[in-house]
Amino acid sequence: MLLLADRNFAVCDLVEQIHATGADLLIRCKTNRKFPTIGRYRDGSRLALLGGVVVRVIDAEITVHTDGKPHHTGQYRLITTLTDCQFSALDLITLYHQRWEIETAFLEMKSTTLDGRVLRARTPTGIEQEVYALLTTYQALRLAMAGATDHAPDIAPDRASFTIALTTARDQVIQAAGVIAATAIDLIGVIGRAVLADPLPERRIRISPRVVKRAISKHRAKGVIDRTDHKATITIALGLTSSPAP
């Protein structure tokens, strides 16, 4: 397992706890964060110590281009327990961009699965039960989708439609498929076939400026807000930070 996290989670105690579980991590930290360097890689990254964990520190300057022009440039410093040379710094920086996929997961659970409904329980115990049921259902659907794309190398995992998977699973339950004795239950297979039959288009890189929602506030945002999703390209320059490496 590889855990991707924002820089607020680059805390020594938390990193040690994650590492102790056997999982790897790839976390952004502040660009001026200092680490005792114990080794260097040819790609510009370096080995360092974070508490009792050996991590790899990767520095990069990332520029987002829209309409062929630089839109935003930022300095990034990542730490990871993937210290093997087979994982290049460029690949890890590129992978970190997918951390924003968690926002899609939240959307799928809150909007697609619940479809505007709220939790029905009125006690803490009941709410906890509903949340676990929601997470379990989501994980089961994601496993079915991942299993399907694993058998179709030409279809990237992010092209699997969660809506199709959810609708197919819901139809199986409503239609009571497999309730007759001796009938094989092939829920994952049914979901997988439906997902592969109608994959999403290839994912394009887009940026959408963050906007603070103030629908019920009298202190509304001033000025014109750009709410357009822009098609974008990203360039990465390794080994560049806002402060020199110690």
Side-chain angles (χ1 to χ4, degrees):
M1 178 180 290
L2 176 63
L3 175 68
L4 308 181
D6 201 356
R7 58 187 174 187
N8 289 334
F9 297 94
V11 182
C12 183
D13 290 345
L14 181 58
V15 168
E16 290 180 338
Q17 291 177 36
I18 296 171
H19 180 66
T21 67
D24 283 301
L25 55 90
L26 179 61
I27 303 178
R28 184 184 177 187
C29 66
K30 294 182 178 179
T31 55
N32 60 357
R33 181 84 173 267
K34 295 182 179 180
F35 300 93
T37 301
I38 58 177
R40 295 188 179 276
Y41 293 81
R42 292 182 179 180
D43 58 16
S45 59
R46 53 196 171 90
L47 277 179
L49 287 174
L50 177 58
V53 181
V54 176
V55 297
R56 183 179 182 180
V57 182
I58 305 172
D59 295 316
E61 180 181 86
I62 301 178
T63 303
V64 178
H65 303 263
T66 57
D67 300 324
K69 300 177 181 179
H71 177 81
H72 175 75
T73 298
Q75 311 291 335
Y76 286 74
R77 173 168 288 175
L78 303 183
I79 57 173
T80 180
T81 51
L82 295 174
T83 56
D84 196 305
C85 292
Q86 66 173 316
F87 305 107
S88 73
L90 181 60
D91 286 343
L92 293 174
I93 285 283
T94 303
L95 172 65
Y96 183 74
H97 179 73
Q98 294 186 333
R99 184 181 67 82
W100 294 103
E101 295 286 346
I102 188 62
E103 302 293 341
T104 302
F106 293 151
L107 175 67
E108 291 167 346
M109 285 188 283
K110 293 167 60 178
S111 300
T112 307
T113 304
L114 291 177
D115 193 23
R117 298 184 298 272
V118 296
L119 301 180
R120 296 170 295 177
R122 298 185 179 182
T123 64
T125 301
I127 292 174
E128 183 178 6
Q129 183 182 32
E130 285 193 63
V131 169
Y132 270 106
L134 177 63
L135 295 175
T136 300
T137 301
Y138 183 80
Q139 183 74 356
L141 289 173
R142 275 290 168 189
L143 287 173
M145 295 164 63
T149 55
D150 282 347
H151 291 85
D154 58 325
I155 299 179
D158 59 8
R159 293 184 61 194
S161 170
F162 180 79
T163 301
I164 290 177
L166 175 63
T167 302
T168 304
R170 184 175 288 154
D171 288 345
Q172 292 294 295
V173 174
I174 294 174
Q175 296 171 9
V179 297
I180 301 176
T183 300
I185 300 176
D186 186 24
L187 183 58
I188 294 180
V190 171
I191 296 174
R193 287 191 294 274
V195 167
L196 294 180
D198 190 13
L200 297 171
E202 292 186 6
R203 185 73 58 86
R204 295 176 298 176
I205 297 177
R206 295 175 294 175
I207 62 169
S208 180
R210 284 188 168 185
V211 177
V212 177
K213 298 179 180 180
R214 301 180 183 273
I216 61 174
S217 173
K218 63 180 180 180
H219 304 292
R220 296 183 180 275
K222 296 181 179 179
V224 179
I225 299 175
D226 182 6
R227 300 177 183 271
T228 306
D229 286 342
H230 297 276
K231 296 179 183 178
T233 57
I234 296 176
T235 58
I236 301 173
L238 294 174
L240 299 176
T241 61
S242 57
S243 60

